[in-house]
Amino acid sequence: MKQRRSDNPKSTGATRSGKGNVVPERFLVSKGTLRFDRFMTQAIQVGGLVVVLAVFGIFAFILSVIWPLFGGAEAAEGDTMFELEASEGAILGLDDWGELPFVTDGGRELVFHPVDGREPFLREAPLPDGAEVSSLRHDPGAQRIVAGFEDGRAGFFEVRYTMEFEEGRDRRVEVELGGEEWFEVAGGPVHAAAYADGGSNKLLAAVHDGGESGARSGLAVVGFHQQRGLLGGGRIEAMPKEELGHLVGGPIAEILIPATADMIFVATDQCELVFLAQDRGEWTVRQRMRMFDNPETRLKTLGFALGDNSIVAGGSGGEVRVFSLFPPEPGEPRTLGLTKEFPGLSDAPVLFAASRRNKTVFIASENELLIGYTTTETVRWRGSVEPGLAALALNGRGSSAAFLDTAGRMRFFEINDPHPEAGMRAFFSPIWYEGFSGPRFSWQSGGATDDFESKLSITPLIVGSLKGTAYAMLFAMPIAILAAIFTAHVLHPSWKRVIKPTMEIMASLPSVVLGFLAAIWLAPLVEYRMPGVFLMMVGIPIVVVVIGYAWSWLPVHLRSRLPTGLELVLLLPVVLGVGWLCWRLGPVVEQWLFVVEMPDGEKVADFTVWWPQWTGLPFSQRNSFVVGFMMGFAVIPIIFTITEDALSNVPPSLLAASRALGATRWQVISTVVLPVASAGVFSAVMIGLGRAVGETMIVVMATGNTAIMDPSNNLIFGSPFGLGSGEFPLAAQWNPFDGMRTLAANIAVELPEAAQGSTHYRTLFLGAFVLFVMTFALNTVAEVLRQRLREKFKLV
């Protein structure tokens, strides 16, 4: 009896598909597996989204940190105001905290007006008995008042502020006057006086009528010397009085003495600035210059910016100019030069004040206030104020300004400018810094003194990053790609199984070890053997090419005796021998080619001296060449491994077809393997490039870690080729024998020492942002090119 086959899927352990076909149960996926697959699919999608959000989150965080760097200052008039009775020419002073301003109108009393609600109080100035004041000057930096008298005496006393804390009561600023010193300097009234304490040396200058050119043409100077020891200062010895009015040669409008107390700047009523300096104990005129181009312009304000290395002058036409001290040529004495000029005011400036924390200056006309930063020549804030300003003072932090107007009102402005030294110009433009003979890019974020001028140009760091990366890739790319080609399609497979894992292990070498080797071993080794290194770089490739070419011309029956891929066995001893020979011939070539004549006429064969003389570029032991070699050594394993994988994955059918058509081994590699694997090779190069851009420890240890972008300033000899003279600035920046600092190394070195929220801290994040943008742009371009290569050479 025939058995009939059942069509019921359940009876056979099968099920029907969506199209009605019966699917055996053994081919069905369990529900648990399907649920897990759906879970993993969603997890991967969520994970990818989280990664994208994390990248954008990092980007947003960095932006939030650096955004305040590009804002300007904010100024607003405060609520505090005092009604005073002050005469014309009154002096206004303010303590470091901005809580206890004082006013004096030239009498014997200082009136203090606490802003904490206390009643105003008086302090009697410790002036000489019976002396009538003829001039007063307030030095905010030293909190010192310099006075001149009708009887020819001059001197100073100090305004000493202290912060007191008492239990159960808020802090309170207290003041006392003292430290007075008075000296006989002239035979008549003193019209202006200035004093500076340079530690061991002190200087007092007074303007009087005893000069040869009439009123206000006399300049009396008294110097003081104080012996200092471990226990403090000793006795002060006064030097003989000197009369310098004849050196000025005209009526004097203003005098300034810097904190070093070794020079005097005298402004005449003809807007001429005379620079007096001591030369071997004698006062001489080092420089005489006009401050303004228009001969009709008259001087209205004159004062030092913080540090006393720059003078800010205001003219009657609203001009505001900055003159700084710098040596015109290396080794020459410093002179003044016009380095900055702010946009002019609508009216003649009448008041000037300088911040005691940074290079910010305040210049006010009758109805306008300009807040500028002298380093970057930028206007931080500009606005109108009520007319009739008579005096101006700043607190120590520059966060509060007090104005005294002609109506006797004392008003306060609150200033918020946390990052005056920042801005696009500071970061990316050449700046004329104090002490430099011209504008330049420079990074120097900190100094030993409070008046240090921060140099925050990140351009040298960008150039350093590009320079180190370029030299590393120049060394790594040819070696890694050629080695990968040889390993994948020439070398015997048994050797390949040893060489590739070895190269992959090399990628795990710590950067700090490589940097240590570069700094301690490699840099001193090659410093005086550069000609030998050059011979090796030229000789070894030439010998290898010649041997390869000669090998190709050997008869086939001779070449076939050597198993394929073992050519390395014959080539390696030759390469080592040529390298040893080049190294030994280096000193001979140096004696022949790299001979220089020293200033004393002696001829010396030394590449480290020849290079600066003939190219105009400096030579340093720890330089970009050493970094490129060692950083290339770190990049080679990455490029080699990925390139070798891409070359090994070319379909064997293509290789067999090429050989069947009679192509040689090199023809197969150049016309088939490389085009097909080009996308993978390009990816390997880009990954290696990213490794080089972000390298930190090798750069820190092997380059001197100095942000250099103007190597021509360190020259000793002239350059016949002029590469460091400014004619070829691009060539100077790519000098392989000087140091550098990269963005990554700068962040690693300075971020632990940067105060959170400071300009320095935010600028380091700006460097991270620039590095982020550079790598992002590079990777984007690389991906576009890789996709095009992939489409062009894809297998159909």
Side-chain angles (χ1 to χ4, degrees), residues 364-646:
S365 65
E366 286 291 339
N367 55 9
E368 188 178 14
L369 174 64
L370 183 148
I371 304 176
Y373 193 73
T374 59
T375 299
T376 57
E377 199 179 358
T378 54
V379 176
R380 303 299 299 170
W381 187 86
R382 186 171 185 167
S384 59
V385 293
E386 292 187 20
L389 298 181
L392 166 64
L394 304 178
N395 68 345
R397 296 177 296 174
S399 60
S400 178
F403 291 93
L404 184 65
D405 59 25
T406 54
R409 295 175 301 175
M410 184 191 299
R411 294 175 288 141
F412 291 85
F413 268 75
E414 299 301 323
I415 314 297
N416 181 26
D417 192 12
H419 310 291
E421 58 268 64
M424 293 294 293
R425 178 176 171 80
F427 297 137
F428 301 107
S429 297
I431 302 296
W432 198 331
Y433 297 104
E434 292 177 348
F436 291 173
S437 58
R440 66 185 60 195
F441 299 99
S442 182
W443 173 274
Q444 190 178 0
S445 57
T449 59
D450 293 337
D451 58 6
F452 172 76
E453 189 175 38
S454 297
K455 304 170 182 64
L456 300 178
S457 174
I458 65 173
T459 306
L461 307 178
I462 297 174
V463 171
S465 299
L466 297 176
K467 182 178 177 180
T469 302
Y471 282 120
M473 297 303 293
L474 187 64
F475 172 76
M477 281 177 54
I479 296 177
I481 294 176
L482 292 176
I485 293 173
F486 184 80
T487 303
H489 292 280
V490 178
L491 195 62
H492 193 275
S494 60
W495 286 72
K496 177 180 176 181
R497 286 192 292 269
V498 175
I499 291 178
K500 188 176 181 184
T502 303
M503 294 292 290
E504 292 173 346
I505 291 175
M506 284 175 55
S508 64
L509 286 175
S511 297
V512 67
V513 175
L514 297 178
F516 177 79
L517 292 175
I520 304 301
W521 171 70
L522 182 61
L525 178 66
V526 303
E527 180 181 8
Y528 297 106
R529 303 303 293 266
M530 288 308 303
V533 175
F534 291 151
L535 285 178
M536 294 171 63
M537 294 173 62
V538 175
I540 292 177
I542 291 177
V543 170
V544 170
V545 171
V546 170
I547 292 176
Y549 186 75
W551 176 263
S552 66
W553 281 94
L554 290 177
V556 177
H557 69 278
L558 293 178
R559 286 184 289 165
S560 62
R561 293 182 180 181
L562 186 67
T564 301
L566 293 183
E567 295 90 343
L568 182 64
V569 176
L570 297 179
L571 185 61
L572 189 59
V574 177
V575 170
L576 295 177
V578 172
W580 177 84
L581 181 62
C582 291
W583 184 261
R584 301 297 296 179
L585 289 176
V588 178
V589 174
E590 188 173 42
Q591 292 285 341
W592 179 37
L593 293 179
F594 304 111
V595 180
V596 295
E597 185 174 346
M598 302 298 288
D600 59 0
E602 181 183 2
K603 291 188 176 181
V604 177
D606 190 341
F607 179 83
T608 62
V609 179
W610 177 91
W611 178 262
Q613 181 174 359
W614 285 88
T615 64
L617 305 175
F619 184 98
S620 303
Q621 182 192 79
R622 299 186 182 184
N623 52 52
S624 304
F625 179 85
V626 174
V627 170
F629 180 86
M630 195 56 72
M631 197 153 63
F633 189 82
V635 173
I636 283 175
I638 298 173
I639 300 178
F640 170 85
T641 301
I642 301 175
T643 301
E644 199 278 334
D645 289 339

Side-chain angles (χ1 to χ4, degrees), residues 281-311:
E282 297 291 332
W283 286 98
T284 59
V285 178
R286 180 176 294 181
Q287 185 184 14
R288 191 184 295 268
M289 62 181 297
R290 284 199 60 82
M291 288 181 282
F292 304 102
D293 301 328
N294 188 349
E296 301 298 326
T297 301
R298 291 294 175 262
L299 181 68
K300 291 297 183 181
T301 61
L302 191 73
F304 282 122
L306 179 69
D308 296 355
N309 288 310
S310 292
I311 296 176

Side-chain angles (χ1 to χ4, degrees), residues 138-163:
H138 180 223
D139 181 359
Q143 288 294 5
R144 180 188 298 123
I145 293 181
V146 183
F149 301 97
E150 293 288 345
D151 60 5
R153 283 185 290 179
F156 63 89
F157 65 90
E158 298 174 353
V159 182
R160 299 168 178 172
Y161 288 101
T162 57
M163 180 68 73

